Amino acid sequence: MATAAELDVSVNPLDAFRTEVREWLAANFPPALKGKDNAMSAIDGPTDLSADEAAWKKAMGDKGWGVPTWPAQYGGGGLDRGQARVLQEEMGRIGAWNPIGGMGVMMFGPTLLEYGNEAQKSEHIPAIAKGEVRWCQGYSEPGAGSDLASLQMFAEDKGNHYVVNGQKTWTSGGQWADKCFALVRTDKSKKHEGISFLLIDMTSPGVEVKPIRLISGSSPFCETFFTDVKVPKENLVGQEGEGWTIGKRLLQHERQNLSGGGSAAGRMFAGKSVSALAKEYRGLDDQGRVTDSDLRMRIVRHEMDSRAFMLTLRRAALESKSNQGPSAATSIMKNVGARITQDRAELSIEIMGMNGLGWEGEGFTDEELTQTRTWLWGKAVSIYGGSSEIQNNVIAKRILGMLDHQ
């Protein structure tokens, strides 16, 4: 017969961990930050942190809970899936948010954990886990976007280092980044097999960054020029010629995160539902419903799609952790996530009418001005991270098994 203590343990082995999480959050999460995630920082770049924000970021970084399932030996939380879910639930319960993010967490970190050598993981992963270093992605070039494997930026072998020359474009956050993970050509005689994965210090002599101004008024994308940039050989991830394989794996991590509502646009719209906007701007009938019946039906359809999509993402995330990480199915998620984000933006602007078309000046609230710029910025969602057409090609080949001529 089991003892009382054994029966207690068998009820739920995560209860003790949940208690630990609650106590830690109570001691470390500043109540003044409840629900105040700085979503705009993803688009507008780094902002000055308040004392509370800085303390919260340091606490999460030191604990490793900004990257809860990464190995503890590299500064991650070392949690299993169940513990990570408990942490997320408890943070959501009190309005806490994760202050550790960016491309290091979304794309580069998981890829380096899989393909990097021990020295590279020990050097770079802890700084990402603490949010101390900003990374940017050097993939697209003026002549290599949809056909990424046509990239021409060349890394010439000079013995113990490479000399890199070329140009990248649409470099997200390039003007704020400390380091860049880049696809470069190390062999001009081969297309895919001539590509390598290289880490470049953005403060190196010869690196020049020029922001590209978008219709939303912000400049999160850049042109980046590399002229005789010296890069140590130890910054090569994997072997020469393995860059295409490593780069594709990184894109799967990127698409998984972009489709999960982790995109800046998705996070900003998450503050208020379209149904709440409709009630505020369109009014209610005598039965407490949004007055416009056609709009009401489209809102219901959108919110049903959004809810179903979030549940699908949750299931896919659990499946990916139990298998070999994200798969080609992330292309489906990326396309669906982009459509839902843009549908939400269009509905919000329609609901707000003229109030949703302000650019600046009096007569508009800060929230209304943000909605306008977010709507415009959201046009990029179906382009960055691989356009919808590229995702359709991946789905056709990798999931449906279709050939190029079909």
Side-chain angles (χ1 to χ4, degrees), residues 111-397:
T111 307
L112 192 69
L113 284 170
E114 190 171 351
Y115 288 97
N117 59 39
E118 191 58 34
Q120 290 168 339
K121 287 188 280 191
S122 297
E123 178 182 356
H124 299 297
I125 297 297
I128 295 172
K130 288 180 179 292
E132 296 174 339
V133 175
R134 295 179 75 96
W135 286 83
C136 66
Q137 180 184 38
Y139 271 33
S140 296
E141 297 181 3
S146 298
D147 183 15
L148 183 59
S150 294
L151 63 91
Q152 294 298 314
M153 192 164 91
F154 189 61
E156 184 178 2
D157 191 336
K158 291 291 187 180
N160 65 346
H161 66 275
Y162 295 101
V163 172
V164 177
N165 281 283
Q167 178 188 350
K168 296 294 181 181
T169 192
W170 306 117
T171 317
S172 304
Q175 69 271 57
W176 307 304
D178 304 295
K179 297 178 183 294
C180 175
F181 50 90
L183 292 179
V184 299
R185 186 160 297 285
T186 48
D187 185 341
K188 296 182 179 180
S189 67
K190 303 172 183 175
K191 188 173 183 180
H192 297 84
E193 293 80 6
I195 295 172
S196 298
F197 195 98
L198 202 59
L199 311 181
I200 302 175
D201 190 328
M202 292 295 282
T203 63
S204 301
V207 177
E208 182 183 9
V209 180
K210 294 182 178 179
I212 302 170
R213 191 170 182 81
L214 304 183
I215 57 174
S216 63
S218 62
S219 302
F221 304 115
C222 303
E223 293 179 291
T224 308
F225 300 88
F226 299 83
T227 305
D228 294 331
V229 178
K230 187 175 178 180
V231 181
K233 276 283 185 69
E234 55 263 32
N235 285 15
L236 176 71
V237 177
Q239 301 298 315
E240 282 192 2
E242 288 186 347
W244 187 245
T245 298
I246 300 171
K248 286 193 299 181
R249 184 59 168 166
L250 183 141
L251 288 175
Q252 289 182 332
H253 288 293
E254 178 185 23
R255 289 162 187 163
Q256 183 182 46
N257 280 284
L258 291 177
S259 62
S263 68
R267 292 166 64 199
M268 283 184 288
F269 282 122
K272 184 177 288 185
S273 68
V274 288
S275 59
L277 276 178
K279 291 175 182 175
E280 179 179 345
Y281 283 89
R282 293 301 187 92
L284 306 177
D285 63 17
D286 55 6
Q287 298 183 53
R289 304 175 303 183
V290 174
T291 51
D292 185 331
S293 60
D294 174 65
L295 176 62
R296 190 167 66 232
M297 289 303 299
R298 286 187 286 132
I299 290 173
V300 169
R301 190 178 301 119
H302 166 74
E303 296 198 339
M304 288 175 63
D305 286 347
S306 298
R307 179 62 176 162
F309 180 58
M310 295 307 295
L311 292 173
T312 302
L313 284 177
R314 188 178 303 175
R315 187 183 72 247
L318 292 174
E319 289 174 352
S320 71
K321 289 176 181 176
S322 62
N323 298 318
Q324 298 298 318
S327 67
T330 54
S331 291
I332 299 175
M333 304 302 180
K334 204 272 183 177
N335 273 0
V336 176
R339 179 183 64 78
I340 289 176
T341 298
Q342 292 177 343
D343 284 351
R344 182 175 187 137
E346 295 289 343
L347 273 172
S348 297
I349 294 300
E350 178 185 344
I351 289 168
M352 296 167 70
M354 291 299 295
N355 295 81
L357 297 176
W359 184 254
E360 60 185 6
E362 299 180 355
F364 301 97
T365 67
D366 289 343
E367 183 184 51
E368 289 167 346
L369 295 176
T370 297
Q371 288 283 15
T372 305
R373 292 175 184 249
T374 310
W375 166 59
L376 292 170
W377 189 89
K379 303 297 181 184
V381 175
S382 52
I383 300 174
Y384 66 58
S387 68
S388 295
E389 289 75 15
I390 290 176
Q391 309 308 329
N392 287 340
N393 279 336
V394 173
I395 294 166
K397 292 181 179 180

